[in-house]
């Protein structure tokens, strides 16, 4: 017969099993938080400058528009819908495995018009107030934009910052790809006019002349929406330079 100590040795679980048991509750909490409440994302491009810069780490509220099942992103408890002016992370319609981030400028039923760099939604202009210039490094090029404060639906209490390159066209019709609902849009070199289908959204980047957005690939279905961006929690350049101008700031 085995002694008591020998039986304890044989009965002991492998170390990896003990570690798995210890980490499982932590992993479960992280999974639930990322799936239902908030998820971190990193900004990879300049399409949302000056609002969001390359290297910004942001938090996205996944609860604000409703509770969705993980993986399949099916909404099971609706709590609200994206509104004009919201900064939203969504699955890219042409490649749903890729996440994009843009600003909502039109919801289902809206008529979005962009002529000569001026945005109008349902006949209401979104006025722009000049706000100096904005410069940044894009690869090996140094870009300078005219910075403006744009008022969502003309409401002064709901505004955001955009950047405009006056030498660029409002839209390049030759770059527009085929998309569902394309017949709802009219393009020319001065701009475009689109009616947004029900259950869809029209997205544009704040860096208006350096953004691949709904102008070129169409509307975003509601089931592609992942959440609303609301907070910048990290930016290495901001911390390394001791500027602390971005870290800890909200997104509007």
């Amino acid at each position: 017969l085995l002694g008591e100590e020998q039986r304890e040795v044989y009965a002991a679980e492998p170390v990896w099993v003990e570690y798995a048991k210890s980490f499982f509750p932590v992993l479960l909490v992280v999974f639930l938080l990322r799936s239902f409440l908030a998820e971190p994302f990193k900004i990879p491009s300049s399409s949302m400058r000056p609002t969001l810069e390359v290297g910004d780490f942001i938090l996205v509220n996944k609860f604000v528009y409703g509770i969705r099942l993980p993986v399949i992103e099916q909404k099971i408890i609706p709590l609200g819908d994206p509104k004009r002016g919201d900064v939203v992370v969504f699955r890219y319609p042409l490649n749903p495995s890729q996440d994009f981030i843009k600003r909502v400028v039109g919801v289902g039923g809206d008529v979005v018009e962009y002529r000569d760099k001026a945005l109008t939604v349902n006949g209401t202009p979104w006025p722009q107030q000049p706000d100096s210039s904005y410069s940044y490094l894009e690869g090996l090029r140094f870009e300078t934009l005219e910075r403006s404060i744009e008022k969502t639906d003309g409401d002064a209490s709901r505004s955001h910052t955009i950047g405009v390159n006056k030498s660029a066209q409002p839209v390049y019709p030759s770059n527009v790809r085929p998309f569902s609902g394309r017949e709802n849009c009219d393009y020319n070199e001065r701009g475009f006019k689109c009616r947004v289908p029900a259950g869809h959204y029209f997205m544009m980047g704040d860096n208006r002349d350096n953004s691949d957005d709904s102008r070129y690939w169409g509307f975003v279905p509601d089931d592609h929406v992942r959440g609303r961006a609301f907070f910048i929690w990290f930016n290495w350049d901001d911390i390394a330079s001791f500027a602390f101008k971005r870290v800890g700031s909200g997104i509007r």
Side-chain angles (χ1 to χ4, degrees):
L1 296 176
L2 295 174
E4 186 68 27
E5 292 183 359
Q6 287 177 308
R7 285 199 298 270
E8 288 181 0
V9 170
Y10 284 116
E13 294 178 331
V15 174
W16 67 269
V17 174
E18 294 182 6
Y19 276 120
K21 286 185 175 180
S22 300
F23 281 111
F24 179 76
V26 177
L27 294 175
L28 179 61
V29 170
V30 171
F31 174 77
L32 293 174
L33 288 174
R34 286 173 62 99
S35 299
F36 298 109
L37 296 180
E39 185 171 358
F41 287 87
K42 182 182 178 182
I43 302 302
S45 74
S46 295
S47 70
M48 283 298 291
R49 288 179 183 268
T51 304
L52 296 170
E53 297 183 355
V54 175
D56 281 345
F57 286 80
I58 65 171
L59 284 179
V60 173
N61 186 329
K62 303 190 72 174
F63 181 78
V64 65
Y65 300 135
I67 298 176
R68 297 178 184 268
L69 291 174
V71 184
I72 64 174
E73 299 290 339
Q74 178 66 43
K75 186 183 290 186
I76 55 175
I77 302 178
L79 297 175
D81 297 307
K83 298 178 177 58
R84 290 187 290 271
D86 287 358
V87 177
V88 170
V89 170
F90 56 93
R91 291 184 289 132
Y92 179 35
L94 300 187
N95 181 9
S97 65
Q98 184 177 0
D99 291 325
F100 268 30
I101 182 167
K102 306 291 179 187
R103 189 178 298 277
V104 178
V105 300
V107 301
D110 284 350
V111 176
V112 177
E113 187 168 5
Y114 191 60
R115 301 287 180 191
D116 301 325
K117 305 296 180 76
L119 181 63
T120 301
V121 181
N122 298 327
T124 299
W126 289 26
Q128 299 173 10
Q129 179 180 344
D131 186 39
S132 69
S133 62
Y134 174 81
S135 299
Y136 66 96
L137 190 64
E138 182 74 18
L140 300 177
R141 303 191 315 274
F142 195 71
E143 302 282 356
T144 298
L145 307 176
E146 293 190 15
R147 175 175 171 147
S148 296
I149 305 298
E150 186 176 67
K151 299 175 183 177
T152 305
D153 293 330
D155 184 351
S157 65
R158 300 176 60 229
S159 61
H160 50 268
T161 307
I162 64 170
V164 174
N165 179 356
K166 289 293 187 181
S167 64
Q169 293 179 196
V171 65
Y172 292 87
S174 61
N175 293 339
V176 177
R177 281 90 89 189
F179 58 85
S180 177
R182 171 68 176 78
E183 66 277 6
N184 295 337
C185 298
D186 176 53
Y187 291 88
N188 59 45
E189 292 185 353
R190 289 186 56 199
F192 67 88
K193 184 176 183 179
C194 285
R195 180 178 294 276
V196 185
H200 291 70
Y201 304 96
F202 196 96
M203 309 287 191
M204 292 181 71
D206 288 349
N207 190 349
R208 289 285 163 79
D209 300 302
N210 187 20
S211 174
D212 186 25
D213 51 36
S214 287
R215 285 172 284 187
Y216 298 105
W217 42 253
F219 311 103
V220 176
D222 182 72
D223 62 5
H224 280 43
V225 174
R226 304 202 63 189
R228 179 171 60 83
F230 70 97
F231 185 72
I232 301 172
W233 65 272
F234 184 78
N235 181 297
W236 174 252
D237 291 339
D238 190 49
I239 292 176
S241 64
F242 296 100
F244 297 104
K245 293 181 179 179
R246 307 189 60 74
V247 173
S249 61
I251 299 170
R252 63 172 192 169

